[in-house]
Amino acid sequence: MKLNGAEIFVQCLQEMNVRTIFGYPGGAILNIYDEIYKAKFLRHILVRHEQGAVHAADGYARVTGEVGVVLVTSGPGATNAVTGLATANMDSIPIVCFSGQVSSSLIGNDAFQEADTVGITRSCTKHNYLVKKVEDLARIIREAFYIARTGRPGPVLIDIPKDILTQKTEHVYRDGRVDIPSYRPTIEGHTGQIRRAVKLMQKAQRPVIYSGGGVILSNAAPELTELARILGAPVTNTLMGLGGFPANDSLFLGMLGMHGTYEANMAVTRSDLLIAVGARFDDRVTGKVSEFAPEAEIIHIDIDPTSVSKNVKVDIPIVGDVKHVLSKIVELVKESTFRKQKPDYAAWWGEIETWRRRECLKFNQDDRVIQPQSVIKKLHELTQGNAIVVTDVGQHQMWAAQFYGFERPRRWLTSGGLGTMGYGLPASLGAIVAKPDEQVFLISGDGSIQMNIQELGTARQYRLPIKILILNNSFLGMVRQWQELFYGRRYSETDLSDMAAPDFQKLAEAYGATGLLAERPDQIEPVLRQTMETPGMVIAEFRTNRECNVYPMVPAGAAMNEMILL
Amino acid sequence: MRHVLSVLVNNEPGVLTRVSGLFSARGFNIESLSVAPVGDGSSSRITMVSHGDSQITEQITKQLNKLIPVIRVVDLTDGPHVERELMLIKVSAEREMRAEIMRIADIFRSRVVDATQVSFIIEVTGGSDKLDACLAMLSPLGVVEMVRTGKVAMSRGEKKT
Ligand SMILES: Cc1ncc(C[n+]2csc(CCOP(=O)(O)OP(=O)(O)O)c2C)c(N)n1
């Protein structure tokens, strides 16, 4: 059957089983929009800014595990998408982004709305394509989806010149399977290395499991949990790994790193075996690298060979899919003598208990002013840990990570690697589009929410019942915290008080949402309850203690056990 | 340490930018780089020479391997290999100098590939030391222009890169 480029686009999406895409139209991509108008199977969500489209697709991908799909026009449409792509790239989120491009004959001529999209996005995508011939289009789309979701997942961009959309070629329907000889990710780990890893586990006395986003991405939470329980070893998650191990398990130490718990950071520092699973030793986790886990032998399981021994020297690297490798390890551990002669970690747990008794997440209670931490604790209590929690970037993000216990994967959405303010609102839209029956809470700051606030329009248009909690400290809080601690309290350009923010209740009204306000601690619970019970979109503002800090804190460049505690 | 990498890639537009971009993104210099299609033209071989400690080079090798169009990366520095480079030198050559220049060209087993009343172009191939030496000999005689290719390299013996 002969089809034109725009028709091939729609056909391929159908092949790939795509049901939802996020986008924004424009001249270069109009032919595709015309086909979308006719395609019954496809739901297009019109955002208000292309950055929002990519974050929404990202949120969709994080909760479903499927590829998020984005459609933007050429030039400004594509450049607006860049922050979203970079965010997804850092957090390894599978996305396919289609961008329109000026007609082939105009490329390179500074045509209207032309940008070198492939050049601009080269370093913030896993791979990208410029379609040169309509005959290549279907193959490229199939490859893009395959590349996005396999190996270490990531965003892939396809730039399509306008004339390709009207040219015709023979189209053959196929399932999405492709073979790219130069791209063959390693799935199974090296058996010898796995054996050696199990041996190390058997002789360790102070092991710690340190797990990251890779566990979530490869759906390996059950395997991780099983391994931890068989070993009886303590587990700590990175920011991206939260939910990969149940937070209410007694083996859980909380998050590690810059704002990790005292017990997690101390345990890693004292450990003699660190089992790193789908985590990449980010500088926010390691602190001063030379003093990171100085006594430990390190096992590192990761699908991406470039992550291994990049920041920290590893004793046993195992390249492969985390789920595969962990199930192999569990199998071996079960077969081995491990079960009978279980290593005795009593002394180790004794040490850990003394660190736990420090209660590093305690915060000052006050009956006049709302402590932001208590809002999140209460939210956890009222939702029984069942909500999907999305955040922006800043103090509220860290408090959400510290105080909302995640028992399951894919229910915690945050921009970890890039730290993108403005991620939260559009990502929460993507999440609720994917999971309309779940409760989706966005926890944001007064600064972050204003960075993509136009997406309230999207929420309104599609009646997306997200619950937005704004922890309003009238500051760019996290930056203010650094200014307080490291810049002599000189709050340069971080004060958002005095008419610097909109009236959030009125704003809610303007977008057809319900606006709520809590100013005193005794209002936290009623406002949260009302937020949950009110149908439709709710914006609940909590005026919080202005100068509350996130503790514990490892100052940048310090060792992990050099924490500032409250 | 100096590293010679042989990178086999799919011959497609933009692949060279991807490869060289990896170096510039990490702030490393590429000392030399040469590329041309090989086989049926569906792939190209890139030879690149760079400096860096082995941890950095290991990371670069892995990153190169991670690029979708990259088929294979081999660090030739680890084993015995042959390196070659080609240089064209234009020297001014009038009357009594002409014989002298031809003699030097002979010594380096190079060839005169263009001659006019006033100049020669000499083609030299070999390792960089040889090229440097030839250049040093000719320089006093008046080198007008010089151009060198990047290095190309291949491992010795049966091993395939
Ligand atoms: C796009 C972007 N710009 C700047 C920053 C730097 N930054 C990190 S946290 C922060 C303050 C966030 O303030 P707010 O959203 O009010 O949250 P709070 O820290 O007060 O909870 C800033 C400006 C960033 N992460 N992202």
Side-chain angles (χ1 to χ4, degrees):
Chain A
M1 198 173 27
K2 269 202 178 324
L3 298 179
N4 71 30
E7 291 163 336
I8 291 172
F9 169 89
V10 168
Q11 280 296 319
C12 286
L13 290 201
Q14 191 156 24
E15 264 177 39
M16 303 294 157
N17 226 353
V18 175
R19 292 289 170 267
T20 310
I21 62 176
F22 302 86
Y24 207 93
I29 201 97
L30 268 178
N31 294 69
I32 287 185
Y33 272 91
D34 201 44
E35 285 307 315
I36 287 177
Y37 191 83
K38 305 174 203 159
K40 292 284 169 289
F41 70 95
L42 201 58
R43 183 180 191 202
H44 178 279
I45 305 285
L46 174 68
V47 294
R48 297 296 179 268
H49 185 295
E50 288 84 353
Q51 186 187 344
V54 189
H55 291 325
D58 170 312
Y60 185 94
R62 289 192 208 220
V63 297
T64 58
E66 293 162 22
V67 177
V69 184
V70 184
L71 183 57
V72 299
T73 194
S74 67
T79 53
N80 270 351
V82 168
T83 305
L85 293 171
T87 304
N89 198 41
M90 286 289 262
D91 288 346
S92 309
I93 306 303
I95 283 179
V96 172
C97 177
F98 296 89
S99 55
Q101 182 55 277
V102 300
S103 286
S104 307
S105 59
L106 296 174
I107 290 180
N109 289 350
D110 295 338
F112 177 64
Q113 295 200 325
E114 183 189 353
D116 172 14
T117 305
V118 168
I120 291 170
T121 58
R122 187 173 292 123
S123 59
C124 63
T125 50
K126 181 172 174 185
H127 192 51
N128 61 13
Y129 295 90
L130 171 64
V131 183
K132 292 269 178 79
K133 299 197 301 272
V134 69
E135 291 77 21
D136 294 338
L137 183 60
R139 172 186 57 83
I140 288 177
I141 295 176
R142 288 164 186 149
E143 284 184 7
F145 275 81
Y146 177 68
I147 291 170
R149 68 181 147 73
T150 53
R152 177 180 182 166
V156 179
L157 176 131
I158 306 176
D159 203 29
I160 315 177
K162 183 164 182 172
D163 53 316
I164 304 275
L165 297 174
T166 51
Q167 291 165 17
K168 289 196 166 189
T169 188
E170 199 61 40
H171 181 74
V172 187
Y173 183 89
R174 274 191 19 195
D175 64 4
R177 226 168 302 162
V178 294
D179 183 35
I180 310 170
S182 60
Y183 173 71
R184 299 251 166 87
T186 311
I187 303 301
E188 285 175 37
H190 189 278
T191 325
Q193 295 292 78
I194 291 177
R195 286 235 163 74
R196 286 179 55 207
V198 171
K199 278 221 182 84
L200 267 194
M201 290 177 199
Q202 249 157 345
K203 71 170 225 271
Q205 310 207 308
R206 299 187 307 277
V208 173
I209 297 175
Y210 143 55
S211 83
V215 170
I216 315 277
L217 292 167
S218 82
N219 299 314
E223 288 78 7
L224 177 81
T225 307
E226 189 176 6
L227 178 66
R229 289 191 180 145
I230 297 177
L231 298 183
V235 180
T236 174
N237 291 160
T238 67
L239 181 72
M240 294 304 295
L242 294 175
F245 186 79
N248 58 6
D249 195 295
S250 64
L251 298 175
F252 189 56
L253 303 182
M255 183 170 74
L256 84 164
M258 180 173 275
H259 294 298
T261 63
Y262 183 66
E263 51 269 37
N265 286 349
M266 293 304 283
V268 168
T269 305
R270 262 288 282 162
S271 64
D272 66 352
L273 175 65
L274 191 65
I275 307 167
V277 192
R280 61 192 177 88
F281 297 86
D282 183 89
D283 53 280
R284 284 289 186 269
V285 157
T286 59
K288 190 174 185 180
V289 173
S290 57
E291 284 165 44
F292 177 75
E295 298 164 39
E297 294 198 82
I298 301 179
I299 298 169
H300 188 186
I301 306 167
D302 205 297
I303 193 145
D304 179 6
T306 63
S307 286
V308 177
S309 288
K310 179 170 59 183
N311 304 328
V312 167
K313 217 188 91 37
V314 167
D315 300 283
I316 303 185
I318 307 174
V319 174
D321 178 58
V322 164
K323 193 177 180 75
H324 254 269
V325 175
L326 281 182
S327 52
K328 259 268 133 57
I329 291 180
V330 166
E331 207 178 285
L332 276 181
V333 166
K334 278 182 174 167
E335 277 171 16
S336 65
T337 51
F338 216 91
R339 273 260 154 109
K340 281 162 253 161
Q341 312 168 330
K342 200 162 168 166
D344 184 8
Y345 300 148
W348 182 219
W349 277 105
E351 259 183 90
I352 293 171
E353 289 310 329
T354 57
W355 295 319
R356 272 184 170 165
R357 276 197 289 278
R358 178 65 181 72
E359 293 190 54
C360 68
L361 292 180
K362 232 176 30 202
F363 53 93
N364 293 325
Q365 297 287 358
D366 189 318
D367 53 7
R368 285 155 306 159
V369 51
I370 294 178
Q371 298 295 358
Q373 300 93 330
S374 52
V375 178
I376 291 164
K377 271 191 123 164
K378 189 50 94 181
L379 178 70
H380 180 255
E381 189 188 312
L382 295 180
T383 57
Q384 297 169 337
N386 274 321
I388 291 174
V389 175
V390 189
T391 76
D392 265 299
V393 174
Q395 293 182 314
H396 63 274
Q397 175 189 32
M398 292 302 134
W399 286 318
Q402 290 174 333
F403 292 94
Y404 196 94
F406 294 90
E407 325 300 353
R408 286 182 285 158
R410 298 198 182 280
R411 314 192 68 80
W412 162 242
L413 280 61
T414 199
S415 168
L418 198 66
T420 310
M421 286 172 75
Y423 169 80
L425 177 53
S428 61
L429 302 182
I432 204 156
V433 163
K435 301 270 176 195
D437 300 328
E438 302 273 359
Q439 291 193 71
V440 177
F441 282 86
L442 165 63
I443 298 173
S444 190
D446 48 317
S448 290
I449 189 72
Q450 294 186 67
M451 219 173 250
N452 268 323
I453 202 159
Q454 74 287 345
E455 298 309 330
L456 290 174
T458 310
R460 173 177 209 188
Q461 180 180 349
Y462 298 96
R463 300 177 192 285
L464 302 175
I466 43 163
K467 313 297 178 191
I468 303 173
L469 312 182
I470 300 175
L471 302 185
N472 186 354
N473 50 14
S474 300
F475 267 121
L476 296 176
M478 187 56 99
V479 181
R480 185 209 57 76
Q481 174 169 343
W482 283 56
Q483 289 172 331
E484 177 189 329
L485 298 175
F486 311 116
Y487 294 87
R489 286 180 186 264
R490 290 180 296 280
Y491 294 162
S492 176
E493 306 297 328
T494 46
D495 193 336
L496 290 185
S497 57
D498 300 333
M499 320 284 292
D503 178 330
F504 288 113
Q505 276 64 59
K506 288 211 180 110
L507 186 80
E509 236 169 75
Y511 279 102
T514 306
L516 302 172
L517 174 66
E519 295 181 285
R520 293 189 319 271
D522 61 355
Q523 293 172 319
I524 296 175
E525 183 165 346
V527 167
L528 280 178
R529 281 189 188 279
Q530 213 183 332
T531 305
M532 292 169 68
E533 285 156 13
T534 308
M537 173 165 48
V538 178
I539 301 179
E541 176 189 355
F542 297 80
R543 300 246 170 93
T544 63
N545 179 5
R546 291 200 71 203
E547 299 194 44
C548 195
N549 286 342
V550 183
Y551 293 119
M553 177 178 192
V554 179
M560 275 176 86
N561 57 349
E562 295 167 358
M563 274 165 283
I564 308 175
L565 292 152
L566 184 67
Chain B
M1 193 187 153
R2 179 173 171 279
H3 286 270
V4 183
L5 300 180
S6 176
V7 188
L8 191 65
V9 300
N10 289 332
N11 185 10
E12 61 187 46
V15 67
L16 188 59
T17 331
R18 283 182 210 282
V19 168
S20 58
L22 273 184
F23 285 75
S24 59
R26 283 172 178 71
F28 299 131
N29 251 349
I30 299 172
E31 184 184 292
S32 94
L33 179 139
S34 64
V35 207
V38 292
D40 62 1
S42 67
S43 49
S44 287
R45 194 181 292 280
I46 304 178
T47 309
M48 22 198 353
V49 182
S50 172
H51 287 268
D53 66 29
S54 36
Q55 204 215 328
I56 290 170
T57 325
E58 183 188 329
Q59 184 56 218
I60 288 198
T61 310
K62 285 177 177 176
Q63 293 278 1
L64 284 171
N65 262 315
K66 200 165 135 178
L67 294 175
I68 311 288
V70 168
I71 301 163
R72 200 160 48 242
V73 185
V74 181
D75 190 340
L76 294 173
T77 337
D78 300 340
H81 64 278
V82 183
E83 279 178 38
R84 284 292 178 274
E85 190 179 335
L86 181 141
M87 175 166 65
L88 296 176
I89 311 175
K90 189 182 285 175
V91 278
S92 56
E94 288 178 56
R95 284 187 206 95
E96 67 278 10
M97 297 311 296
R98 296 177 83 85
E100 171 69 0
I101 291 171
M102 306 270 278
R103 248 194 319 276
I104 294 174
D106 247 11
I107 295 170
F108 288 95
R109 286 186 226 206
S110 54
R111 297 190 298 151
V112 174
V113 291
D114 179 61
T116 68
Q117 294 291 347
V118 293
S119 69
F120 283 138
I121 296 178
I122 293 166
E123 175 198 301
V124 208
T125 52
S128 349
D129 290 354
K130 173 177 162 188
L131 268 53
D132 290 343
C134 181
L135 185 63
M137 290 293 284
L138 290 171
S139 284
L141 307 178
V143 171
V144 180
E145 231 183 322
M146 188 269 290
V147 60
R148 290 166 86 143
T149 65
K151 275 168 214 58
V152 291
M154 197 177 264
S155 62
R156 287 185 188 273
E158 280 173 33
K159 202 176 143 201
K160 255 185 88 173
T161 41

